[in-house]
Amino acid sequence: MQGWPSGPGEGSAAGAVPGGPGWRRRPRPVPSRPVGGGRQRGGGGGGGAAAGATADAAELPLAMGGGCRARAPPAAGLRLLLAHAVLLCAAGSAAGTGSVNPCCYFPCQNQGVCVRVGLRGYECDCTRTGYYGVNCTSPELWTRLHNLLKPSPAFYHFILTHFKWFWDIINSTFIRDTLMRLVLTVRANLIPSPPTFNSDYGYISWEAYANVSYYTRVLPPVPANCPTPMGTKGKLQLPDPQLLAERFLLRQKFEADPRGTNMMFAFFAQHFTHQFFKTSGKMGRGFTKALGHGVDLGHLYGDNLQRQHQLRLFRDGKLKFQVVDGEVYPPMVTEAPVHMVYPSRVPQEQQLAMGQEVFGLLPGLCVYATLWLREHNRVCDLLKRDHPTWSDEQLFQTARLILIGETIKIVIEDYVQHLSGYYLSLKFDPELLFGSQFQYRNRIAVEFNQLYHWHGLMPDSFIIQGQEYSYKQFLYNTSMLMDYGVEALVESFSKQVAGRIGGGQTINANVLHVAVGVIQESRQLRLQPFNEYRKRFGMKPYKSFQELTGEEEKAAELEELYGDIDALEFYPGLLLEKPQPNGIFGESMVEIGAPFSLKGLFGNPICSPEYWKPSTFGGATGFEIVKTASLEKLVCLNVKKCPYVAFQVPAAAEHGSPRAAGSSTEL
Ligand code: HEM
C-alpha cells in the first residue's frame, strides 16, 4: 500500500476480524495526509500498510481551516507534506465537503473494495480476498502459503519460453492438459464475472450490470474531486497527451518485432478485436456498439439484425457475395446497402460492404473479411450436403456457430500461441474447464480496449509483392484487394515483419493520433494509475521510472513530467515498460491482457457443456471443422493456390515457436 496512513495498527485494528470476512463496520476516520512524504512501500500487494500504520504517532492540526488537518510530519519532507496538505484541503473544498475522499488514496489492497463512509471515513471490504485488516493487507493462512509458493510472472515466463526439449515431452503427455487448465483458471479468475464497475458506476449497481452499452471496468474510476488527477499522487496536471505521444511513443526508427511477428498477425489482431471493440461515437467514450461483448462475429455478420439481413443472401444460409475474375469477394454497398465508413472520394460502386463499418480502412482487413465470408459460404455448402432439409435460417445460424468455434480455435492455438512465445502447446478444449466453476459470460472492459491499441505493429510502409505503398496509398485503397487477389496479399502480409509494440517510441507518425486519443480517453474515464493495475493483476508495483523502462534517460523525463511513478497512467505504462527478453512487449501487457483474452474466448457460450457437442454444430462434420481449424486452413481452403501463410515471417518460422507455419497436417 502506498502512502495510506492506517491509524491504529493495521492487521490488529479493532473492527477487522482476523480470518473473518474482513468487512469493517466502523468507518475509518479520514487521514489528514498521505503517509510520510516519500515513497514507503512494502513489497507487492499490501505490505505497505504496515508502513502507513507506523506513521501515525501524532496528529497536529495545521490551522488550515475547514477542518483540514495534517499530521506533524517527520523532519524530512516537511515542505512536501505541507504542500500536499494544502492540496488535500483544496481538493476537499472543491468537492464542497471540506474533506478528501479517502478512496482517492486507493487504501484497500488485494482487491479489497473501498467504500467512503460519512464525510471523512472509509471502509475496505475484504470479503473473499484472502486478506483481512483495515486495508485488507493481512493475509490469511492459506494466502500466506499461496504467496510463498507462487512463482513470479518473470519466472514462469522464463520457464515457458525456454527448454524446448522439455516442453516437447510435456506437450505429448497429459501434463499439457493440466497446465492448460491451470493457465486458464488462474488467468480467467482475475476477471470479475459477472462484471462489476463501469465508467459511471464505481460501485456495484444493477445499471452497471444490466446496461450492456457500457464497457465494463475491472477497477473503478479514480473518485471525482481527488487532490490530483491520479488520486493523491503526482502533479496537479497530467502531461500534455500530444507531448507524451511525441516524446515517448512516436517511432524514431522502425524496430522489427524480435520474434518475427508479421503483418498477417497485425491485421488479424485488428480484424478480430474490432468485433468487440467498437467505441460508440454517439454515446461517447466508455460505451460500445458491440453489444455481444465477445466473439460473436459481429464484424462478419453485422452488430445488429438489420445489418445482418442486408448482408445475407437468404439462400442456403449464405452471405451475399460478388464474383470477380472467378473469385468470391464481399458485395458492394450497392448490393448490400449497409453503412460503411469511407472517405467521400470513394464512390458507392467501389465501397465493399462488410460486417464492420470501418473495414474499408485497410486492404488487410478486407482480406480477412473476404476469407471469412468464403469460409461461411463454404461451411454452408457442407452443412447443406448433410442436412438438405434445413432452412436457410438454420444453415446460417449453425454456420455462424461453427465460424465462432473456428475463430476461437485459431485465436488460441495460432494467434495467442505465437504471441505468448510459449513452448507449452496451448489447447482449445472447452472440456478442460468442465470440472471447474466457470462463468460462461463475458463483458468487454475499457482497460482491455485501451491495452489492445497495438499500433506499434504497423510498419513505415506496406510491401506488396515487392512494391512499396505509403500510408496514403494503402489506406482506403479499395482496388488492391481485387487487383492482387487474396493469395498475393496473404503471402505479402505473411512475409512483412511487423513492428515491436512495447519499449517506447514504436508508433508510426501516421497513427500517433490514435495513441493521443487513448490517453485522452483514459483521463476522461479516470482510469486508475498503472501501478494500481499492476497490483490488481498480481504484479508488484514499480518503485521507479527506471525500474519501469530499464534505462535512465526516458525514465528521468517521465519522472519530471509525472512527478511520481504511482501517478503514471495505464496506457503509457504499458507501452513504456521494458519489453520481456526477446518479447514484443512488457510483462504487464501479458499479465493484464491474457486474463481478458482467455476469459473472453473460453467464456463464449459455445464452450459451455450445454453447447459444446456435435449437434450444436450440425453434427460430426461441423464439430470437426471447429476442432481442427487453423489459420492455414482458413486461407488454403478458400483460395485456389495455397500461399505462404503464418503469423511470423518465414525466417522466424523456420527456427521459431512450436507451432510454426506449416505444422498443420489436416489440409
Ligand atoms: C494502419 C493501421 C491502423 C490505422 C490507420 C488505425 C486507425 C485507428 C483509428 C483512426 C482508430 C479510432 C481512434 C479513435 O476513435 O480515437 C483506431 C482505433 C483502434 N485501433 Fe487502430 N488503426 C490501425 C491498426 C490497428 C492495429 C494493428 C490494431 C491492433 C489490434 C489496432 C487496434 C485498435 C483498437 C483496439 C482501437 C479502438 C477501437 C474502438 O474502441 O472502437 N489498430 N485505430
Side-chain angles (χ1 to χ4, degrees):
M1 198 279 293
Q2 290 89 59
W4 180 252
S6 304
E10 168 72 2
S12 60
V17 186
W23 176 241
R24 198 187 144 77
R25 304 227 168 259
R26 188 167 57 84
R28 301 278 307 139
V30 70
S32 39
R33 63 165 176 76
V35 87
R39 218 166 284 126
Q40 295 193 31
R41 199 189 308 280
T54 61
D56 217 38
E59 286 196 290
L60 288 185
L62 285 181
M64 302 275 183
C68 290
R69 298 190 308 161
R71 285 184 208 111
L78 174 65
R79 280 223 316 268
L80 188 74
L81 285 175
L82 283 174
H84 219 127
V86 172
L87 201 72
L88 295 186
C89 283
S93 306
T97 61
S99 60
V100 170
N101 180 348
C103 295
C104 291
Y105 289 89
F106 310 118
C108 310
Q109 303 303 300
N110 300 304
Q111 300 192 36
V113 178
C114 186
V115 181
R116 189 178 193 181
V117 180
L119 276 186
R120 294 159 57 83
Y122 75 101
E123 293 172 341
C124 289
D125 185 350
C126 313
T127 307
R128 284 184 290 280
T129 61
Y131 290 81
Y132 61 94
V134 176
N135 294 328
C136 314
T137 50
S138 304
E140 291 163 8
L141 184 62
W142 68 266
T143 309
R144 208 180 288 270
L145 274 173
H146 179 260
N147 290 349
L148 217 69
L149 298 174
K150 200 178 96 179
S152 71
F155 176 77
Y156 60 72
H157 183 83
F158 179 83
I159 299 292
L160 283 160
T161 52
H162 290 77
F163 316 114
K164 184 172 181 310
W165 60 268
F166 167 76
W167 290 108
D168 285 345
I169 299 171
I170 296 288
N171 288 336
S172 57
T173 68
F174 70 95
I175 305 174
R176 176 191 177 199
D177 284 10
T178 311
L179 290 177
M180 187 67 202
R181 190 178 300 113
L182 188 72
V183 169
L184 281 175
T185 42
V186 170
R187 296 274 198 211
N189 276 340
L190 285 164
I191 304 299
S193 186
T196 48
F197 314 113
N198 68 30
S199 297
D200 285 329
Y201 294 88
Y203 48 91
I204 301 284
S205 67
W206 192 258
E207 183 63 18
Y209 166 73
N211 189 341
V212 293
S213 291
Y214 283 99
Y215 287 115
T216 186
R217 296 266 288 247
V218 168
L219 287 181
V222 175
N225 302 310
C226 285
T228 70
M230 300 309 283
T232 59
K233 299 298 182 72
K235 305 205 166 175
L236 275 180
Q237 243 189 338
L238 287 166
D240 175 48
Q242 187 68 37
L243 176 112
L244 270 180
E246 279 169 18
R247 230 197 262 177
F248 300 100
L249 305 181
L250 177 63
R251 177 183 291 157
Q252 306 297 315
K253 187 171 174 299
F254 178 78
E255 193 186 346
D257 170 52
R259 280 192 307 101
T261 299
N262 60 22
M263 295 307 295
M264 196 64 189
F265 178 94
F267 291 131
F268 188 96
Q270 192 182 12
H271 180 266
F272 167 69
T273 59
H274 281 50
Q275 68 188 293
F276 47 76
F277 295 144
K278 293 185 79 176
T279 300
S280 164
K282 280 203 194 100
M283 284 183 284
R285 303 294 193 178
F287 291 97
T288 177
K289 285 182 288 176
L291 306 181
H293 284 275
V295 184
D296 63 355
L297 268 47
H299 60 338
L300 178 57
Y301 303 113
D303 65 17
N304 62 72
L305 199 57
Q306 195 191 3
R307 193 173 177 98
Q308 183 205 106
H309 284 190
Q310 297 290 13
L311 293 165
R312 278 173 63 175
L313 195 60
F314 288 109
R315 208 171 51 234
D316 299 339
K318 290 188 177 176
L319 291 170
K320 285 181 187 167
F321 61 93
Q322 61 175 315
V323 179
V324 177
D325 294 336
E327 304 275 8
V328 169
Y329 292 103
M332 293 301 179
V333 292
T334 39
E335 298 302 316
V338 290
H339 167 67
M340 292 296 297
V341 177
Y342 284 98
S344 53
R345 67 181 146 84
V346 182
Q348 287 231 318
E349 309 77 72
Q350 288 173 25
Q351 294 185 6
L352 288 171
M354 290 167 279
Q356 227 283 15
E357 299 87 314
V358 304
F359 280 180
L361 174 71
L362 290 159
L365 299 173
C366 296
V367 164
Y368 275 112
T370 307
L371 282 168
W372 283 111
L373 179 139
R374 291 180 186 178
E375 178 65 3
H376 176 92
N377 287 353
R378 187 184 78 85
V379 166
C380 284
D381 283 336
L382 294 176
L383 284 174
K384 173 133 180 159
R385 201 183 57 193
D386 283 357
H387 308 284
T389 61
W390 276 14
S391 65
D392 164 78
E393 186 66 18
Q394 192 165 1
L395 290 167
F396 170 82
Q397 296 295 349
T398 307
R400 182 175 188 162
L401 291 181
I402 292 173
L403 264 72
I404 288 174
E406 286 189 64
T407 301
I408 299 176
K409 168 87 173 173
I410 293 172
V411 170
I412 289 171
E413 296 198 7
D414 289 327
Y415 175 91
V416 177
Q417 181 75 63
H418 166 74
L419 197 62
S420 68
Y422 291 173
Y423 284 124
L424 166 68
S425 256
L426 302 182
K427 189 174 183 187
F428 172 49
D429 180 1
E431 291 186 16
L432 290 173
L433 290 177
F434 286 179
S436 346
Q437 271 209 348
F438 185 75
Q439 300 283 328
Y440 293 97
R441 57 164 77 197
N442 188 53
R443 194 73 62 88
I444 297 296
V446 87
E447 296 99 335
F448 191 33
N449 179 314
Q450 286 245 325
L451 76 76
Y452 231 119
H453 280 75
W454 291 353
H455 294 85
L457 287 170
M458 286 295 121
D460 290 338
S461 61
F462 303 85
I463 315 289
I464 310 297
Q465 295 207 315
Q467 172 88 34
E468 186 171 1
Y469 290 87
S470 67
Y471 274 75
K472 195 158 176 261
Q473 294 165 321
F474 195 68
L475 266 53
Y476 291 111
N477 187 326
T478 46
S479 61
M480 195 174 257
L481 175 69
M482 293 178 203
D483 288 350
Y484 280 101
V486 170
E487 287 98 324
L489 290 175
V490 165
E491 179 134 338
S492 299
F493 295 154
S494 295
K495 289 185 172 169
Q496 182 173 4
V497 75
R500 202 176 204 174
I501 297 168
Q505 300 189 322
T506 55
I507 301 181
N508 178 279
N510 288 286
V511 279
L512 193 69
H513 66 281
V514 186
V516 175
V518 178
I519 298 171
Q520 285 165 339
E521 175 184 90
S522 85
R523 293 179 188 182
Q524 192 185 330
L525 302 182
R526 301 203 310 277
L527 248 66
Q528 288 194 21
F530 180 60
N531 262 345
E532 291 302 316
Y533 279 100
R534 295 255 317 159
K535 289 190 285 176
R536 174 59 180 75
F537 284 88
M539 292 168 282
K540 290 188 172 159
Y542 282 117
K543 294 193 181 74
S544 67
F545 286 99
Q546 285 90 331
E547 197 192 352
L548 168 89
T549 62
E551 53 76 83
E552 301 287 326
E553 200 182 314
K554 289 282 165 213
E557 286 183 51
L558 284 166
E559 173 103 49
E560 171 73 26
L561 286 170
Y562 276 104
D564 192 320
I565 183 71
D566 288 335
L568 175 65
E569 294 166 279
F570 183 63
Y571 186 62
L574 288 165
L575 287 200
L576 299 179
E577 186 179 35
K578 56 189 175 299
Q580 290 173 315
N582 211 28
I584 192 164
F585 35 48
E587 172 186 88
S588 307
M589 189 78 87
V590 179
E591 296 300 311
I592 303 175
F596 285 121
S597 166
L598 292 175
K599 172 71 182 171
L601 295 165
F602 278 83
N604 193 288
I606 69 152
C607 299
S608 67
E610 206 51 55
Y611 284 35
W612 186 247
K613 50 180 82 164
S615 52
T616 300
F617 306 99
T621 310
F623 207 20
E624 199 56 21
I625 292 174
V626 171
K627 287 186 186 172
T628 58
S630 69
L631 173 71
E632 197 180 359
K633 282 177 77 176
L634 172 68
V635 172
C636 295
L637 293 177
N638 291 297
V639 295
K640 291 185 178 137
K641 190 165 169 293
C642 187
Y644 170 74
V645 48
F647 281 146
Q648 49 193 163
V649 292
E654 271 160 33
H655 30 70
S657 61
R659 284 290 303 262
S663 62
S664 169
T665 53
E666 301 119 13
L667 283 173

